[in-house]
Every structure is written in structure tokens, then in C-alpha cells.
């Protein structure tokens, strides 16, 4: 009954392993003791195609502590450390502004701390003071962290209650645990396979590619010549491909180039002159303090064109460029030292303003359409939707008589090409554009979501650089866009280098 079955030598070796162990089912780990691991799945699938065996696959998701979770288990959660601080110092409450003085709390933990305390209903806030309802509270997150810390292999998520699964989701958002899928594979002989291994299995040298030498020497008579069967399933092959993030960035670049834009680049390190002052952002603006901006310790000052510096000083203080009164300005004393401080850029708009500043008088008479896609840096607490480093895409259009309607049309076309059919525009405020807008897109199942901001550069931004034409400007958070396209719930998943996720993710072209 098996005369017509032609088996590959690897298939025969696996069947011999069944004969050796006298079993009808073997785990892949057992088989790997006798044959190379990379050959097992392929040969098993061939045996399946011959109806001699079947592959049994069982997968389970294991919950384990991340490196941050292991650290939290040793140091305790920030909530507990704060309650212990209050208890140890015999005080009834602590002011929100005084949290930075608590030595056991790290700077990055302070911002999300209040949210976690409120979510757990542990505190009340009275006139800016945090008051614990019970300093000796029981914390379900702590209990689960402690339980996971004692398990080397993790905990099967299917064994958790509905309430525990909610705690798992909460801890995952905090980056304290990770969920990994583990697959267990077995090969089970069918009744035909059991019958097959009752007979001796002979392994001969096998020829997979017949050569001239094999024919002339007569070697082909002594060997098995492997027949090809295109219907037999094979093991998955993962060819090289770009990371999903890189793929979407490339698609966005192609869209912009296709509608006439050219790409520009600038350094990640900028002076406050270019990052803030050139965009008419006042030097006492909250976004420029240590909570939002990364300042360089060395070098802590950069070079600035003195002529441009004086122009910006004048526009900031009194709204005057040369002899022309553009606006009232901000009415404060502009600091040249602040302007020379060095920061990591907080937006890619700095690329556009430096491009405009670089134009010659002849080039200023021509239309321009440029964009920049690059990393930006914000001093933010890390959570499921915030990272201190992320990608942003920004662009400008400079031409005679371009107006707000042109901007709306451009953005609608751009978002349509990204795959968003429903787009709506609403008024917004940005310090360097007027009028300004925010564009929202409709995502099935999630409703309307904000995706980009835009506007027309204010005269205070353009006049110091001699730009007389109107300039339309827009910016989009690419990391948020990628999250929406890939349907991710946590932005950190984009940077974990999970090989299985990268291999199996399918990114539909956004072009």
C-alpha cells in the first residue's frame, strides 16, 4: 500500500526516530535530539502531505515581568513609595509641587503617579495636596507583580480571572509586564504512518539535482532521485523586508514626492534660536522649560547669525522688522543668551524655517514645496502613547496667493492618499501660524481622531527672513499614524524588536 509513496531522506530519518522510541507522538524537541532543528518542520509538513503524520500545535500566552517590572518588584511601585514616605515622615499630606522632593521617586515617575493614584482611588486632592485615604492599602497590581516575580516561566494568561486580565492590561500599559506567545509543536503519526514504520526503512543517498557526471558515471542507478511535488506544504520562509515603521515612512515620502514636494534634512541638535525664537515662540513659553525640552550639557551654547539674532530680538520685543511695525510683539526683554542655548529639536518645523532662511533673493521669488521626516525629542514620561523620541512629518508650501482653502485641499488630498476617506477640519491655535487648524480622520470602531496640525505662517515668522509670499505649514505625528495603521495599543511595541511580530506583520501600502 506504500509502494507509490516517495519519501525524502529527512522524512525517513524522522520515521526512524519514531521506530527508535516506539511512540506514535513525538515533541519537536525530542526529534531535534536526532535531526537538525531547521529540517524538522519542513520534513514534518512533507509527511503531512503524504498522510503519514499530522502536526499538532498548541500555543499559549505567558505573562512575565519586564526588566522594569523586575525593578518595580524590588523597589516597589511609585504609589507605595509615596505612601511610605508620608508614613515615615508622619505627615498627613504632600503638595503636588513637592513630589520632586521625594528622594525615592524618580523624575520620570512623577507625571504618571497622580493618574495611577486616582485610577486606584487611593487619594483625594485638597487644595493642591495629596491625601491618602488609607496608607496601609492592598494593591492588586503589587500582588500580581509579586506573584510573577516567583515564576521563572511566567503565568499562562488563560488561567487568569477576568479581573486579573484587567490588571495585566494595566501593567502592560505601564511597561511592567510583557506577554509572549509560546508554541509547542508535536508530530503525531496517522494510522497509515503507524503501519509504515512497522517495516524497515532504508535510507539511500539521494540526488536532488541530476548532473552530467551522475549520468556518465552511472551513479544515478545507485541513488534515489527525488521527485518534486508542488502540492506538498513547506515551512514558512521569511524574506528580508523593511521594518513596518520604515515601510510606512517610505510610503509617506513617496506620496509627498508624487505631489511635488522635495525632502530636506537638518541636524537633531539645534539652538533655541532656530527651534523656538525663529518661530516667534516667546522665551517664557512653558514648552521651553525642562519639562518638555532636552537641553545639551555640552556644548551648552551654539553659534547664531548676529544680524538675524537682532532681527528676532526686535520682532519679539516690539514686533518691528527694520522700520516696519509688523505687530505688537511679545513685550518682554529678549535674551540673546537664551537664544544661543543648545537643545535636541522638539519638532521638524525647524527644518522648514532653516530652509526658508537659506533662500537667496532670486529663490524667494520662486514657489517651494518641501517636507521633512525625522526624529524629534520631548522630555515626556514614557507610557503607552508617549515616548521621549518619536517621528514627525512636516511640510510647507510657499507660493503667490496660496490661501487657507489651498491648505485644506492639500491636507485632505494627503490624508485621502494615506487611506483615510473621512476627513474633517476644525479651528486650532499654534504660536507660529494664524489662522491654524487641526485635521481629524475617522477610524472605524474608534471614531474621530486628531492626526495633524497646520496653518499659515505668521508675518512675525517670515518677515525677519525677507519672505513676502504666504507659506502654508503642516505637521503630523508619524508614530501615531503608524500606530493607527498597524492597530497597535502601545507605542512601545514599535521599538521592541519583536522578531515574530516583525516577520508576521503585514503593512498594506498607504500609497
Amino acid at each position: 500500500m506504500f509502494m507509490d509513496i516517495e519519501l525524502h531522506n529527512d522524512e525517513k530519518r524522522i520515521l526512524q526516530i519514531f521506530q527508535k522510541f516506539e511512540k506514535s507522538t513525538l515533541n519537536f524537541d525530542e526529534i531535534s535530539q536526532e535531526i537538525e532543528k531547521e529540517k524538522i518542520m519542513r520534513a514534518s509538513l512533507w509527511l503531512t502531505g503524504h498522510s503519514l503524520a499530522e502536526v499538532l500545535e498548541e500555543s499559549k500566552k505567558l505573562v512575565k515581568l519586564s526588566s522594569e517590572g523586575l525593578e518595580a518588584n524590588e523597589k516597589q511601585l511609585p504609589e507605595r513609595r509615596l505612601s511610605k514616605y508620608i508614613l515615615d515622615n508622619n505627615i498627613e499630606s504632600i503638595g503636588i509641587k513637592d513630589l520632586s522632593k521625594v528622594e525615592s521617586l524618580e523624575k520620570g515617575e512623577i507625571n504618571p503617579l497622580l493618574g495611577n493614584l486616582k485610577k486606584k482611588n487611593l487619594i483625594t486632592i485638597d487644595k493642591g495636596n495629596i491625601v491618602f485615604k488609607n496608607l496601609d492599602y492592598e494593591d492588586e497590581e503589587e500582588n500580581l507583580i509579586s506573584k510573577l516575580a516567583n515564576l521563572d516561566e511566567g503565568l499562562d494568561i488563560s488561567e487568569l480571572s477576568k479581573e486579573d486580565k484587567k490588571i495585566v492590561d494595566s501593567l502592560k500599559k505601564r511597561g511592567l509586564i510583557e506577554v509572549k506567545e509560546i508554541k509547542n509543536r508535536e508530530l503525531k503519526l496517522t494510522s497509515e504512518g503507524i503501519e509504515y514504520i512497522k517495516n524497515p526503512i532504508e535510507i539511500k543517498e539521494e540526488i536532488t539535482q541530476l548532473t552530467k557526471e551522475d549520468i556518465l558515471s552511472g551513479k544515478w542507478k545507485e541513488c534515489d532521485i527525488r521527485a518534486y511535488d508542488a502540492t506538498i506544504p513547506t515551512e514558512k520562509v521569511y524574506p528580508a523586508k523593511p521594518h513596518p515603521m520604515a515601510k510606512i515612512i517610505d510610503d509617506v515620502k513617496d506620496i509627498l514626492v508624487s505631489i511635488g514636494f522635495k525632502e530636506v534634512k537638518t541636524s537633531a541638535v539645534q539652538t533655541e534660536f532656530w527651534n523656538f525664537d525663529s518661530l516667534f515662540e516667546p522665551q517664557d513659553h512653558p514648552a521651553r522649560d525642562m519639562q518638555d525640552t532636552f537641553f545639551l550639557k555640552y556644548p551648552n551654547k551654539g553659534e547664531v547669525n548676529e544680524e538675524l539674532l537682532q532681527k528676532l530680538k526686535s520682532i519679539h520685543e516690539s514686533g518691528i522688522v527694520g522700520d516696519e511695525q509688523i505687530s505688537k510683539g511679545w513685550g518682554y526683554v529678549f535674551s540673546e543668551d537664551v537664544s544661543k542655548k543648545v537643545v535636541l529639536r522638539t519638532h521638524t518645523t525647524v527644518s522648514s524655517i532653516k530652509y526658508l532662511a537659506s533662500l537667496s533673493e532670486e529663490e524667494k521669488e520662486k514657489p517651494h514645496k518641501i517636507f521633512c521626516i525625522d526624529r524629534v525629542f520631548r522630555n515626556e514620561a514614557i507610557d503607552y502613547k508617549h515616548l521621549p523620541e518619536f517621528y514627525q512629518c512636516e511640510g510647507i508650501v510657499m507660493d503667490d496667493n496660496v490661501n487657507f482653502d489651498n491648505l485644506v485641499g492639500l491636507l485632505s488630498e494627503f490624508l485621502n492618499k494615506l487611506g483615510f476617506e473621512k476627513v474633517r477640519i476644525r479651528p486650532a491655535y499654534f504660536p507660529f501660524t494664524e489662522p491654524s487648524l487641526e485635521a481629524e480622520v475617522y477610524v472605524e470602531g474608534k471614531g474621530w481622531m486628531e492626526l495633524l496640525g497646520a496653518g499659515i505662517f505668521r508675518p512675525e515668522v517670515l518677515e525677519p527672513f525677507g519672505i513676502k509670499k504666504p507659506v502654508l505649514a503642516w505637521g503630523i505625528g508619524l508614530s501615531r499614524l503608524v500606530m493607527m495603521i498597524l492597530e497597535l495599543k502601545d507605542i512601545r511595541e514599535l521599538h521592541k524588536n519583536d522578531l515574530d511580530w516583525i516577520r508576521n506583520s503585514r503593512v498594506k501600502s498607504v500609497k
Side-chain angles (χ1 to χ4, degrees):
M1 63 183 286
F2 302 110
M3 294 298 292
D4 295 332
I5 298 179
E6 293 188 29
L7 300 182
H8 189 281
N9 279 348
D10 287 339
E11 295 173 86
K12 293 177 182 178
R13 290 189 183 98
I14 288 180
L15 291 175
Q16 283 183 335
I17 297 171
F18 279 98
Q19 287 179 329
K20 175 181 177 180
F21 287 101
E22 297 181 348
K23 291 182 178 181
S24 61
T25 303
L26 287 173
N27 188 282
F28 272 35
D29 290 335
E30 294 178 287
I31 300 174
S32 67
Q33 303 301 315
E34 307 288 332
I35 187 173
E36 295 91 333
K37 187 174 289 187
E38 62 271 13
K39 295 181 178 180
I40 296 175
M41 178 55 81
R42 181 175 56 193
S44 297
L45 291 172
W46 288 341
L47 288 169
T48 299
H50 288 125
S51 300
L52 297 177
E54 59 179 324
V55 177
L56 306 177
E57 187 171 278
E58 180 186 30
S59 64
K60 58 182 178 180
K61 291 184 177 179
L62 294 180
V63 180
K64 297 184 67 174
L65 290 180
S66 64
S67 57
E68 292 87 351
L70 291 169
E71 184 179 354
N73 181 61
E74 293 180 5
K75 296 168 52 178
Q76 297 185 312
L77 292 176
E79 303 93 283
R80 181 68 67 184
R81 279 180 264 143
L82 179 59
S83 68
K84 288 187 69 175
Y85 175 85
I86 292 175
L87 196 62
D88 293 344
N89 287 274
N90 196 26
I91 55 178
E92 294 182 356
S93 65
I94 184 171
I96 295 175
K97 59 181 176 55
D98 295 324
L99 290 176
S100 58
K101 299 176 183 178
V102 180
E103 293 183 359
S104 60
L105 294 177
E106 296 178 9
K107 183 179 178 181
E109 295 174 326
I110 294 175
N111 284 343
L113 176 60
L114 272 179
N116 289 319
L117 288 169
K118 288 179 181 178
K119 184 179 69 174
K120 295 178 180 181
N121 195 28
L122 295 174
I123 62 167
T124 60
I125 297 179
D126 181 27
K127 297 179 181 179
N129 291 316
I130 299 171
V131 182
F132 273 81
K133 296 178 180 179
N134 178 12
L135 290 170
D136 190 25
Y137 62 90
E138 183 173 350
D139 191 322
E140 293 178 336
E141 288 188 348
E142 284 182 336
N143 293 341
L144 185 56
I145 289 174
S146 178
K147 184 176 181 180
L148 291 172
N150 295 317
L151 299 174
D152 293 332
E153 295 185 0
L155 191 62
D156 189 342
I157 200 169
S158 64
E159 298 176 1
L160 297 176
S161 65
K162 188 176 181 179
E163 290 72 22
D164 281 343
K165 287 179 181 177
K166 290 181 180 178
I167 299 171
V168 166
D169 288 338
S170 176
L171 290 173
K172 186 179 179 184
K173 287 179 180 179
R174 296 181 69 171
L176 301 178
I177 65 170
E178 51 192 27
V179 179
K180 289 193 174 182
E181 187 174 8
I182 305 297
K183 293 184 178 180
N184 180 52
R185 294 190 179 102
E186 292 182 329
L187 188 63
K188 180 181 179 181
L189 294 179
T190 62
S191 56
E192 291 91 340
I194 292 172
E195 286 297 317
Y196 193 98
I197 66 170
K198 289 179 180 179
N199 303 305
I201 298 173
E202 183 182 4
I203 297 179
K204 293 183 180 180
E205 184 180 353
E206 194 171 57
I207 295 177
T208 57
Q209 185 174 356
L210 197 60
T211 65
K212 175 182 176 182
E213 288 74 19
D214 294 332
I215 296 171
L216 293 177
S217 66
K219 181 180 178 181
W220 64 275
K221 297 178 183 179
E222 304 169 2
C223 302
D224 285 337
I225 300 177
R226 177 69 177 164
Y228 290 96
D229 186 347
T231 65
I232 294 177
T234 59
E235 189 175 1
K236 282 186 178 180
V237 175
Y238 298 101
K241 67 175 184 179
H243 189 282
M245 181 84 170
K247 171 70 168 61
I248 293 173
I249 288 176
D250 286 342
D251 285 350
V252 172
K253 286 183 180 181
D254 289 344
I255 289 172
L256 291 169
V257 170
S258 73
I259 55 178
F261 284 80
K262 72 174 182 179
E263 185 177 10
V264 298
K265 291 279 190 179
T266 55
S267 169
V269 176
Q270 298 291 337
T271 58
E272 287 204 45
F273 174 91
W274 289 114
N275 197 78
F276 296 119
D277 297 338
S278 63
L279 294 169
F280 197 55
E281 199 162 300
Q283 292 185 334
D284 57 357
H285 194 283
R288 299 172 71 155
D289 66 21
M290 292 296 289
Q291 296 301 314
D292 292 304
T293 306
F294 286 108
F295 292 85
L296 268 66
K297 186 174 181 179
Y298 179 83
N300 59 6
K301 283 190 178 182
E303 294 183 3
V304 176
N305 181 286
E306 193 61 36
E307 181 181 352
L308 287 177
L309 180 63
Q310 294 308 314
K311 286 183 178 181
L312 288 193
K313 181 177 182 179
S314 177
I315 198 76
H316 275 248
E317 290 182 344
S318 57
I320 297 174
V321 177
D323 298 327
E324 187 176 357
Q325 184 81 46
I326 303 298
S327 68
K328 292 182 179 180
W330 293 116
Y332 70 97
V333 178
F334 182 92
S335 169
E336 296 182 15
D337 288 336
V338 168
S339 198
K340 294 175 182 178
K341 286 183 179 179
V342 182
V343 301
L344 293 180
R345 62 173 172 223
T346 59
H347 48 72
T348 49
T349 312
V350 67
S351 302
S352 296
I353 199 66
K354 292 190 82 169
Y355 176 84
L356 292 174
S358 71
L359 297 177
S360 65
E361 292 304 318
E362 183 181 353
E363 290 171 330
K364 290 174 185 176
E365 299 302 317
K366 299 177 182 178
H368 296 272
K369 294 169 72 175
I370 64 151
F371 75 94
C372 175
I373 295 179
D374 221 326
R375 293 174 299 163
V376 297
F377 308 86
R378 305 273 177 87
N379 190 10
E380 299 199 52
I382 297 174
D383 59 25
Y384 72 100
K385 62 179 180 180
H386 294 101
L387 287 175
E389 176 183 340
F390 56 94
Y391 276 89
Q392 197 175 65
C393 172
E394 183 269 348
I396 61 169
V397 176
M398 169 180 154
D399 202 354
D400 290 316
N401 303 318
V402 288
N403 55 39
F404 199 74
D405 287 341
N406 298 136
L407 179 61
V408 172
L410 170 67
L411 296 179
S412 297
E413 175 70 12
F414 176 53
L415 292 173
N416 288 159
K417 285 181 174 289
L418 286 175
F420 301 105
E421 296 179 1
K422 297 181 181 179
V423 179
R424 73 181 184 187
I425 305 296
R426 59 183 176 85
Y429 168 77
F430 300 107
F432 44 87
T433 57
E434 180 61 37
S436 304
L437 65 84
E438 285 178 346
E440 296 178 331
V441 297
Y442 188 80
V443 180
E444 208 64 44
K446 295 182 179 179
W448 291 98
M449 300 184 68
E450 178 194 336
L451 198 56
L452 60 78
I456 300 177
F457 273 148
R458 293 173 59 156
E460 294 95 334
V461 174
L462 301 176
E463 288 287 346
F465 304 107
I467 305 297
K468 301 296 182 181
K469 297 180 186 292
V471 178
L472 313 180
W474 51 268
I476 181 172
L478 268 189
S479 295
R480 178 178 291 186
L481 172 66
V482 174
M483 281 184 68
M484 293 170 65
I485 293 174
L486 297 179
E487 297 181 349
L488 299 179
K489 294 182 179 179
D490 193 322
I491 194 171
R492 289 169 291 196
E493 293 179 39
L494 286 171
H495 305 281
K496 281 190 174 181
N497 291 327
D498 184 330
L499 193 56
D500 287 335
W501 176 74
I502 293 173
R503 282 174 169 174
N504 294 299
S505 63
R506 296 184 178 182
V507 181
K508 183 179 179 182
S509 178
V510 298
K511 291 181 280 186

